[in-house]
Amino acid sequence: MKTQTTSIDYIRKDFPILNRCVYDDKQLIYLDNASTTQKPIQVINAINNFYRNYNSNIHRSVYSIANEATAAYENTRSKIAKFLNIRNAKEIIFVRGTTEAINLVAYSWGRNNIAKDDVIVTTEYEHHSNIVPWQLLVKEKQAKLKYIEINENGELRLDQLDDYLEYGNVKLVTFSQMSNVLGTITDSTKIISKCKKYNVKTLIDGAQSAPHMKVNIDDIGCDFFACSAHKMLGPTGVGILWAPKNVMEHMVPFHGGGDMIKEVHKYETTWNDLPYKFEAGTPNIADVIGFSTAIDYINDIGIDTIRNHEEDLRNYALSKLDNIKNIVIYGNKDSAKSGGIISFNFADIHPHDLATILDEDGIAIRSGHHCAQVLMEKLDVPATSRISFYIYNTKNEIDKLVISLEKAARLFKL
Amino acid sequence: MKTQTTSIDYIRKDFPILNRCVYDDKQLIYLDNASTTQKPIQVINAINNFYRNYNSNIHRSVYSIANEATAAYENTRSKIAKFLNIRNAKEIIFVRGTTEAINLVAYSWGRNNIAKDDVIVTTEYEHHSNIVPWQLLVKEKQAKLKYIEINENGELRLDQLDDYLEYGNVKLVTFSQMSNVLGTITDSTKIISKCKKYNVKTLIDGAQSAPHMKVNIDDIGCDFFACSAHKMLGPTGVGILWAPKNVMEHMVPFHGGGDMIKEVHKYETTWNDLPYKFEAGTPNIADVIGFSTAIDYINDIGIDTIRNHEEDLRNYALSKLDNIKNIVIYGNKDSAKSGGIISFNFADIHPHDLATILDEDGIAIRSGHHCAQVLMEKLDVPATSRISFYIYNTKNEIDKLVISLEKAARLFKL
Amino acid sequence: MSNSDIYHEMIIDYSRNPINFGTIVKPDIFMHDSNPLCGDSIDLYMNVDDDVHSISEIKFNGKGCAICIACTSVLTEITKGKKIDDVIKINKTDILSELGLQKLNPVRIKCALLSLKILKFSIYSYLSDKIKKIDDTRKTELFKLKDDATNLY
Amino acid sequence: MSNSDIYHEMIIDYSRNPINFGTIVKPDIFMHDSNPLCGDSIDLYMNVDDDVHSISEIKFNGKGCAICIACTSVLTEITKGKKIDDVIKINKTDILSELGLQKLNPVRIKCALLSLKILKFSIYSYLSDKIKKIDDTRKTELFKLKDDATNLY
Ligand SMILES: Cc1ncc(COP(=O)(O)O)c(C=O)c1O
Ligand SMILES: Cc1ncc(COP(=O)(O)O)c(C=O)c1O
């Protein structure tokens, strides 16, 4: 335990923001990691270094700094391939984030593969990013959207998936590997093996899983995988879409423009090789390069160490929250089945009010619908409070959270 | 003249990369500003400062650092509105860059407003970003794409626009305000007044104009305007699309996801207010904030000062290149009608070979088709060499370029 | 502004016991809106006394945080019985100062002013529908009202 | 590698006087490809001597930089008259070392190897079409060729 504390102290030193105070003297306690994580100095410096030393556009120029930039940019692809166990780095497309990745699939794959009366299956605990693009698509195509519901433990009722598959017409099953509200870890292997029997494509929203647990795409065998750098120590504005080459080859271009073409003539055009066909225009070069450093940082710590640390913190927090009257927790109490996320409500205090009160003590938690209104409807609450951990969080921070919750109880005369 | 040199020296100090050497001892001479510009330390620091001090997701959280981040993000919108003379900052949508902006128009406006046999007019000197999205759209809609050709001075033949408009069915005229290859400044006012008579929408690709000359959107009266931060001292991964509210209100959403919705239910969803309806998912927060500092920097120098400096450099460079045998220059010799861009070819030396030879002396110029293959076909060359200036370039750098060109002539035995 | 200042007695009382909470069957004016970023969601109902051009009855329903519910309560109290010409003049300071919320941060201000936004928009559309022949001064007034609503936060 | 090393006599000569430059009417094998990032564009034509399974004739046409044209010239020289089984074994070092370009940077390497990529792909598709019943060893060989071509740069 001692060693663990020491090494966390050591890690915390890499995150400049953790030293900052809000309201003059309250040291920041950042518990909104499911929304976006903080960045280690190494990542900040990588971006800095790019702009100071080799900023230039990529792919298209022959001079030295352009070569350096191109090499660094392409190197991120290889890093990610290794990190997620993807065989071919050229199957990785850089996008702005998970949202753009899923929309890219909806446009470039969906518009050619979803027809009238086809069915897309999603789940009740999806983020809006994995619902709205499909709503738009099924509306355009007169297709159908179906939801896998959750049970009282916040787990998916996979029997419903069986029904949908058996009924037929299912073309895509799309789900998050970890719920951003409940923390539930989805049994991806089970879902995908079911889908494979019916030859149904699968998309994994890895926004929450990739940062917090080992993801092995080659093992999982899905058809699409999306995640965001900013949720895994990396900069804002970058994410990836992965799809195997044979799937990608049958996708039509998304954005048209520079770099995604092979030859442009006045009236016809040929497309560039993969993955460039899907990377039109100047990409977010600096931040793609910063992403690479973020992955190095995670690798240095070890993704399993991160997972264990979060499980530990979640168990600790649950035991503390258990002692406070009137706290209702949503999702699975078993931290082995859940990421480092806890959603809860505290008596009749609205989550927004609670977040504002905690903020006074420097504690940043998320309140609201967490871009998961379908889930809120299911839970029959307008909003929840959510705390979510990362490698730099400590038990001491949870203790301070508890003190602050007690203050809120006094203010609201609970 | 003395004062000018001094102030440029002063400006150059703000750009760390300009001190760097390539091949051990050749100080970088960066002449590829039309591709992407270098970044002043102020912009680099703004990004740095965000990640070190108030990194957080925006719009959705109530705690302090989220408030700071949201305020800084939204502040960029106001800065840009003032810079480009846009009345309502909420008409500005943040995107990855010009390419995404134009694709957004093609999808969200184009797919509902372009029908069979409608005509979209573009020009021969467009960047692929302003050609390929329209090729995709007209193909889908069985509509037509027509080109305004250029004359021997590299200027648009606006008589052809008259013909197209008279012939009818034109729904959109889309053009760059400054050609990225020839430097030609388009007579936007004339084009738009012609189009207004026929009630035809207009899109301005401002990727090259916004960084280098005063753009007054309210005066120009176009319907869409796009530009990229990275070409105007800002970070990679950010750009804007502007459209007046009454146009934007009739556009369908582009990407579906978080932040762009008002209420999501299982089977129907309502959209958020403008501009958020078009900003799905976590945006590139850090870089939007960095963009704001870039605009401050440009304002501090003054956009007219920038323009004058580049005109001056272009005239100087043209006079020097005139003394070298076998150099063919494309575009307008009159620098009053052109941005700080010169495209040329040097005898039978292929531009790539020339760029590699200049690189040896630390000189970064662009060679190739510049994402303007339609123009290359028109000029009947496979590629050109291009030099393009910004506020930090000097006449001394042009002198060194000339020496390096002479070396190339020797190597190729011209 | 320190937060314990925000969560004073009055706010918490209003939020637990909102004023004019409920619905009106067949209201003259009805509008629903929500705060996309936090999920506050309000229905506003009003009846108009045509003789004196005033709001004779006002009710609201919905879900929201203490600040949202308290501010909506205060807004309905201020509005009830007022002439429409005066209702459209109600501004954000009227609401915020009543509850000591002038220094609320930009994200929370949306909670406080959601109902005022709904009020302004709903009266705008009520008037636009109602007045068939709108003279030019009236038109400017109406546009101003819409602008007010749009730019409230 | 310093650039003046790149632009030695041989490269410049080849680029001004390319070998096997031209076209073949009705070639047995034809393929066009271009380098999207710089615009080099090459057509490759080959005839096959069916008896001995060799490339009897090879020509190229197109536009490109000195490096592209020189490397394509060298590639055609190496290829001409070779057995197809040997042609598919030609690798990048064969071309680059012939012209002293081993240390070319990653962007320019595409100029140097565009024609080799075309050669490999075109032979791949020629063989795929030709051999109706492909046995398994042959299949692996073919896949390897395609992979080679894909991963050349
Ligand atoms: C005229 C013009 N339009 C569009 C673009 C595309 O901009 P971006 O690559 O930032 O999307 C460029 C830059 O390459 C350009 O010069
Ligand atoms: C499960 C899940 N999916 C998708 C997203 C969207 O990611 P981004 O906002 O980076 O596009 C998020 C994060 O908000 C998420 O938690």
Side-chain angles (χ1 to χ4, degrees):
Chain A
M1 210 51 235
K2 186 74 207 308
T3 15
Q4 201 220 357
T5 320
T6 324
S7 72
I8 297 267
D9 283 352
Y10 197 75
I11 287 168
R12 288 176 66 86
K13 287 205 175 71
D14 287 334
F15 292 79
I17 201 172
L18 298 179
N19 278 323
R20 113 153 234 192
C21 289
V22 293
Y23 299 111
D24 297 337
D25 60 349
K26 307 290 179 186
Q27 192 174 349
L28 176 67
I29 294 178
Y30 187 74
L31 295 174
D32 192 17
N33 293 288
S35 178
T36 196
T37 65
Q38 297 306 332
K39 321 303 173 200
I41 190 67
Q42 290 85 340
V43 169
I44 302 173
N45 285 346
I47 297 166
N48 216 312
N49 182 40
F50 170 75
Y51 286 130
R52 280 168 170 271
N53 291 307
Y54 61 106
N55 169 66
S56 101
N57 218 321
I58 54 167
H59 293 313
R60 295 180 278 201
S61 302
V62 307
Y63 48 81
S64 299
I65 56 171
N67 269 303
E68 294 172 22
T70 304
Y73 179 90
E74 291 300 329
N75 184 42
T76 305
R77 249 189 268 273
S78 314
K79 281 269 177 61
I80 294 168
K82 217 165 159 192
F83 182 69
L84 298 175
N85 202 17
I86 289 165
R87 284 194 199 181
N88 179 354
K90 288 190 177 167
E91 295 170 342
I92 294 168
I93 303 168
F94 288 117
V95 291
R96 182 167 35 247
T98 307
T99 303
E100 188 181 19
I102 297 173
N103 279 279
L104 199 166
V105 177
Y107 277 99
S108 295
W109 177 84
R111 291 183 65 214
N112 275 352
N113 286 279
I114 301 295
K116 191 161 182 294
D117 298 328
D118 280 347
V119 173
I120 295 172
V121 176
T122 183
T123 90
E124 276 187 341
Y125 62 48
E126 293 312 302
H127 189 279
H128 292 161
S129 300
N130 204 12
I131 292 180
V132 184
W134 310 118
Q135 286 182 335
L136 290 169
L137 182 64
V138 299
K139 196 170 166 207
E140 178 179 336
K141 298 294 183 184
Q142 300 180 266
K144 289 199 189 76
L145 189 60
K146 293 187 179 176
Y147 288 83
I148 303 174
E149 294 181 84
I150 58 166
N151 67 20
E152 59 292 343
N153 281 328
E155 291 167 329
L156 296 180
R157 292 186 43 195
L158 293 189
D159 56 308
Q160 295 184 334
L161 175 60
D162 292 332
D163 294 346
Y164 296 150
L165 289 170
E166 209 155 295
Y167 186 84
N169 283 356
V170 178
K171 290 287 148 60
L172 176 73
V173 174
T174 181
F175 59 95
S176 54
Q177 201 171 8
M178 182 188 288
S179 155
N180 71 315
V181 179
L182 306 172
T184 317
I185 297 172
T186 310
D187 190 345
S188 319
T189 316
K190 200 170 194 172
I191 293 182
I192 288 165
S193 81
K194 285 176 191 289
C195 290
K196 277 207 191 307
K197 274 191 215 133
Y198 291 83
N199 209 8
V200 166
K201 292 255 179 307
T202 47
L203 183 154
I204 292 186
D205 172 349
Q208 295 299 334
S209 58
H212 300 282
M213 57 187 260
K214 178 65 197 162
V215 171
N216 187 326
I217 288 183
D218 201 44
D219 268 11
I220 297 175
C222 56
D223 296 290
F224 303 101
F225 186 90
C227 66
S228 302
H230 72 96
K231 292 185 197 283
M232 45 200 296
L233 307 181
T236 54
V238 180
I240 63 142
L241 171 68
W242 167 84
K245 195 155 175 264
N246 62 326
V247 171
M248 238 199 261
E249 274 169 349
H250 292 99
M251 287 161 63
V252 295
F254 185 32
H255 296 182
D259 245 32
M260 57 74 72
I261 54 86
K262 186 155 264 177
E263 288 176 29
V264 174
H265 304 283
K266 272 192 173 173
Y267 307 104
E268 81 274 3
T269 282
T270 51
W271 312 126
N272 199 349
D273 300 327
L274 299 171
Y276 309 105
K277 175 177 165 186
F278 296 105
E279 292 182 5
T282 304
N284 187 354
I285 305 167
D287 294 330
V288 165
I289 292 171
F291 191 10
S292 174
T293 309
I295 290 173
D296 287 342
Y297 195 91
I298 293 176
N299 283 333
D300 276 355
I301 295 178
I303 188 79
D304 292 331
T305 307
I306 294 176
R307 171 79 188 117
N308 290 338
H309 177 67
E310 292 179 21
E311 215 176 310
D312 194 32
L313 286 181
R314 189 176 191 266
N315 279 327
Y316 184 78
L318 283 177
S319 73
K320 292 285 170 175
L321 294 179
D322 241 12
N323 295 332
I324 304 177
K325 258 196 307 192
N326 294 319
I327 285 195
V328 181
I329 286 165
Y330 307 99
N332 211 313
K333 296 271 164 70
D334 182 354
S335 296
K337 295 184 172 174
S338 179
I341 295 174
I342 302 173
S343 271
F344 65 96
N345 262 311
F346 191 10
D348 69 344
I349 309 180
H350 192 285
H352 281 2
D353 298 317
L354 189 64
T356 295
I357 291 165
L358 299 191
D359 178 51
E360 193 186 24
D361 297 327
I363 302 172
I365 72 160
R366 179 72 185 281
S367 60
H369 53 60
H370 317 293
C371 297
Q373 289 185 341
V374 167
L375 179 60
M376 295 296 118
E377 279 187 12
K378 171 68 165 214
L379 299 175
D380 197 22
V381 293
T384 74
S385 294
R386 181 186 70 186
I387 53 181
S388 52
F389 306 115
Y390 214 17
I391 186 65
Y392 37 71
N393 290 118
T394 65
K395 290 183 182 167
N396 183 256
E397 290 179 323
I398 293 169
D399 294 337
K400 288 186 179 156
L401 168 74
V402 168
I403 294 171
S404 208
L405 288 171
E406 285 160 355
K407 183 187 76 179
R410 280 196 305 279
L411 277 173
F412 271 79
K413 307 191 183 69
L414 293 183
Chain B
M1 212 49 238
K2 187 73 209 306
T3 15
Q4 200 220 357
T5 320
T6 324
S7 72
I8 297 267
D9 281 353
Y10 197 73
I11 287 169
R12 287 177 65 88
K13 288 206 175 68
D14 287 334
F15 292 80
I17 201 173
L18 298 179
N19 278 322
R20 113 153 232 193
C21 289
V22 293
Y23 299 112
D24 298 336
D25 61 348
K26 308 290 178 186
Q27 192 175 346
L28 176 67
I29 294 178
Y30 186 74
L31 295 174
D32 192 17
N33 292 289
S35 178
T36 196
T37 65
Q38 297 306 331
K39 322 304 172 199
I41 190 69
Q42 289 85 341
V43 169
I44 302 173
N45 285 347
I47 297 166
N48 217 313
N49 182 41
F50 170 74
Y51 286 129
R52 280 168 172 270
N53 290 306
Y54 61 106
N55 169 66
S56 101
N57 218 321
I58 53 166
H59 295 311
R60 295 179 278 199
S61 302
V62 306
Y63 48 81
S64 300
I65 56 171
N67 269 302
E68 294 171 24
T70 304
Y73 180 89
E74 291 300 329
N75 183 42
T76 305
R77 249 190 266 275
S78 316
K79 281 267 176 63
I80 294 169
K82 217 164 158 195
F83 182 69
L84 298 175
N85 202 17
I86 289 166
R87 285 194 197 180
N88 179 353
K90 288 189 178 168
E91 294 170 343
I92 294 168
I93 303 168
F94 288 117
V95 291
R96 181 167 39 246
T98 307
T99 303
E100 189 182 19
I102 297 173
N103 280 280
L104 200 165
V105 176
Y107 276 100
S108 295
W109 177 85
R111 290 181 66 213
N112 275 351
N113 286 278
I114 301 294
K116 191 161 181 296
D117 296 330
D118 281 347
V119 173
I120 295 172
V121 176
T122 183
T123 90
E124 276 187 342
Y125 62 47
E126 293 312 301
H127 189 278
H128 292 161
S129 299
N130 204 13
I131 292 180
V132 184
W134 310 118
Q135 287 181 335
L136 290 170
L137 182 65
V138 299
K139 197 172 166 203
E140 180 180 335
K141 298 294 182 184
Q142 299 181 265
K144 290 198 190 75
L145 189 59
K146 293 187 179 176
Y147 289 83
I148 303 175
E149 293 181 84
I150 58 167
N151 66 21
E152 59 293 344
N153 281 329
E155 291 167 329
L156 296 180
R157 292 186 45 194
L158 294 188
D159 55 308
Q160 296 184 334
L161 175 60
D162 293 332
D163 294 346
Y164 295 151
L165 289 170
E166 209 155 294
Y167 186 84
N169 283 356
V170 178
K171 290 287 148 59
L172 176 74
V173 174
T174 181
F175 59 95
S176 54
Q177 202 171 8
M178 183 188 287
S179 154
N180 71 315
V181 179
L182 305 172
T184 316
I185 296 173
T186 310
D187 190 345
S188 318
T189 316
K190 200 169 194 173
I191 294 182
I192 288 165
S193 80
K194 285 175 191 291
C195 290
K196 278 208 192 305
K197 275 190 214 134
Y198 291 84
N199 208 9
V200 167
K201 293 254 179 307
T202 47
L203 184 155
I204 293 186
D205 172 348
Q208 295 300 335
S209 57
H212 300 284
M213 57 186 260
K214 178 67 197 162
V215 171
N216 187 326
I217 289 184
D218 202 44
D219 267 11
I220 296 175
C222 56
D223 296 290
F224 303 100
F225 186 91
C227 66
S228 302
H230 72 95
K231 290 184 197 285
M232 45 199 295
L233 307 181
T236 54
V238 180
I240 64 143
L241 171 68
W242 167 86
K245 197 156 174 261
N246 62 326
V247 172
M248 239 200 262
E249 273 169 350
H250 292 100
M251 286 161 62
V252 295
F254 184 33
H255 296 180
D259 247 31
M260 58 73 71
I261 53 87
K262 185 155 264 174
E263 289 176 30
V264 174
H265 304 283
K266 271 192 174 173
Y267 306 104
E268 80 274 3
T269 283
T270 52
W271 312 125
N272 199 347
D273 301 328
L274 299 171
Y276 309 105
K277 174 175 165 187
F278 296 104
E279 292 182 3
T282 304
N284 188 354
I285 305 168
D287 293 332
V288 165
I289 292 171
F291 191 9
S292 174
T293 308
I295 290 173
D296 287 342
Y297 195 91
I298 292 177
N299 283 333
D300 277 355
I301 295 177
I303 188 79
D304 292 331
T305 307
I306 294 176
R307 171 80 187 117
N308 290 338
H309 177 67
E310 292 179 22
E311 215 176 310
D312 194 32
L313 286 181
R314 188 175 192 268
N315 278 327
Y316 183 79
L318 283 178
S319 74
K320 292 285 172 176
L321 294 179
D322 241 12
N323 294 331
I324 304 177
K325 258 195 307 192
N326 294 319
I327 284 197
V328 181
I329 286 166
Y330 307 100
N332 210 315
K333 296 271 165 69
D334 182 354
S335 295
K337 295 183 172 175
S338 178
I341 295 173
I342 302 173
S343 271
F344 65 97
N345 262 311
F346 191 10
D348 70 343
I349 308 179
H350 192 284
H352 281 3
D353 297 317
L354 189 63
T356 296
I357 292 165
L358 299 191
D359 178 52
E360 191 186 23
D361 297 327
I363 302 171
I365 72 161
R366 179 74 184 282
S367 60
H369 54 58
H370 317 291
C371 295
Q373 288 185 343
V374 168
L375 179 60
M376 295 297 118
E377 280 187 10
K378 171 68 164 215
L379 299 175
D380 198 21
V381 293
T384 73
S385 294
R386 180 185 73 186
I387 54 181
S388 53
F389 306 115
Y390 214 15
I391 186 64
Y392 36 71
N393 290 119
T394 65
K395 290 183 180 167
N396 183 256
E397 291 179 322
I398 293 169
D399 294 338
K400 288 186 180 158
L401 168 74
V402 168
I403 294 171
S404 210
L405 288 171
E406 285 160 355
K407 183 186 76 178
R410 279 195 306 279
L411 276 174
F412 270 78
K413 307 194 183 67
L414 294 182
Chain C
M1 169 179 235
S2 152
N3 300 321
S4 15
D5 295 344
I6 298 180
Y7 292 96
H8 51 71
E9 198 95 20
M10 204 164 130
I11 297 259
I12 290 167
D13 280 357
Y14 263 126
S15 79
R16 290 227 170 94
N17 306 296
I19 309 292
N20 295 318
F21 194 80
T23 61
I24 298 175
V25 190
K26 294 200 187 167
D28 296 329
I29 303 180
F30 168 78
M31 191 171 266
H32 162 85
D33 202 5
S34 60
N35 188 331
L37 304 166
C38 67
D40 292 342
S41 165
I42 296 288
D43 293 333
L44 192 69
Y45 305 80
M46 288 178 276
N47 278 335
V48 178
D49 181 333
D50 278 334
D51 296 340
V52 290
H53 286 293
S54 68
I55 303 295
S56 55
E57 184 67 19
I58 182 164
K59 292 274 184 201
F60 79 99
N61 209 334
K63 295 165 180 175
C65 59
I67 289 175
C68 175
I69 300 299
C71 289
T72 308
S73 292
V74 167
L75 178 69
T76 58
E77 287 183 300
I78 295 179
T79 304
K80 195 168 176 173
K82 261 212 174 67
K83 288 242 158 61
I84 290 186
D85 282 351
D86 294 327
V87 168
I88 65 178
K89 286 181 197 139
I90 297 173
N91 64 35
K92 55 177 144 185
T93 324
D94 297 333
I95 308 298
L96 298 175
S97 63
E98 182 70 24
L99 288 164
L101 296 174
Q102 294 94 326
K103 287 184 183 162
L104 215 57
N105 74 39
V107 172
R108 296 311 306 279
I109 211 116
K110 294 177 184 172
C111 306
L113 299 181
L114 174 63
S115 50
L116 181 58
K117 188 169 197 164
I118 299 176
L119 179 80
K120 285 182 182 287
F121 266 123
S122 63
I123 291 188
Y124 164 76
S125 62
Y126 171 79
L127 291 179
S128 310
D129 286 358
K130 200 82 184 170
I131 307 163
K132 297 273 179 276
K133 284 184 207 149
I134 310 181
D135 62 39
D136 275 357
T137 30
R138 207 61 221 224
K139 218 173 198 168
T140 329
E141 236 178 83
L142 266 180
F143 276 132
K144 196 187 158 308
L145 180 60
K146 194 183 173 194
D147 264 12
D148 266 13
T150 311
N151 300 320
L152 202 58
Y153 50 78
Chain D
M1 168 179 234
S2 154
N3 299 321
S4 17
D5 295 344
I6 298 181
Y7 291 96
H8 50 72
E9 197 98 18
M10 204 166 131
I11 297 259
I12 291 168
D13 280 356
Y14 263 127
S15 78
R16 292 227 171 96
N17 307 295
I19 309 290
N20 295 317
F21 194 80
T23 60
I24 298 175
V25 189
K26 295 201 187 166
D28 296 329
I29 302 180
F30 169 78
M31 190 171 266
H32 161 86
D33 202 5
S34 61
N35 188 331
L37 305 166
C38 67
D40 291 343
S41 165
I42 296 287
D43 293 333
L44 192 68
Y45 305 79
M46 287 178 276
N47 279 335
V48 177
D49 181 334
D50 278 333
D51 297 338
V52 291
H53 287 293
S54 69
I55 302 295
S56 56
E57 184 68 21
I58 181 164
K59 293 272 183 198
F60 79 98
N61 209 335
K63 296 165 181 177
C65 59
I67 290 175
C68 175
I69 300 299
C71 288
T72 308
S73 291
V74 166
L75 177 69
T76 59
E77 287 185 298
I78 296 180
T79 304
K80 195 168 176 173
K82 259 212 176 65
K83 288 242 159 62
I84 289 187
D85 283 351
D86 294 326
V87 168
I88 65 178
K89 285 179 198 142
I90 298 173
N91 65 35
K92 55 176 143 187
T93 324
D94 297 333
I95 308 298
L96 297 175
S97 63
E98 182 70 26
L99 288 163
L101 296 174
Q102 296 94 325
K103 287 185 183 160
L104 215 57
N105 75 39
V107 172
R108 297 310 305 279
I109 211 115
K110 295 177 184 171
C111 306
L113 300 181
L114 173 63
S115 50
L116 181 57
K117 188 169 197 166
I118 298 175
L119 179 79
K120 285 182 182 286
F121 266 123
S122 63
I123 291 190
Y124 164 76
S125 61
Y126 171 79
L127 291 179
S128 309
D129 286 358
K130 200 82 186 170
I131 307 160
K132 296 274 179 280
K133 283 183 208 148
I134 311 179
D135 62 39
D136 276 356
T137 30
R138 207 60 221 225
K139 219 175 197 166
T140 328
E141 235 179 84
L142 266 180
F143 277 132
K144 197 187 158 306
L145 181 60
K146 194 182 174 192
D147 265 11
D148 266 14
T150 311
N151 300 319
L152 201 57
Y153 50 79

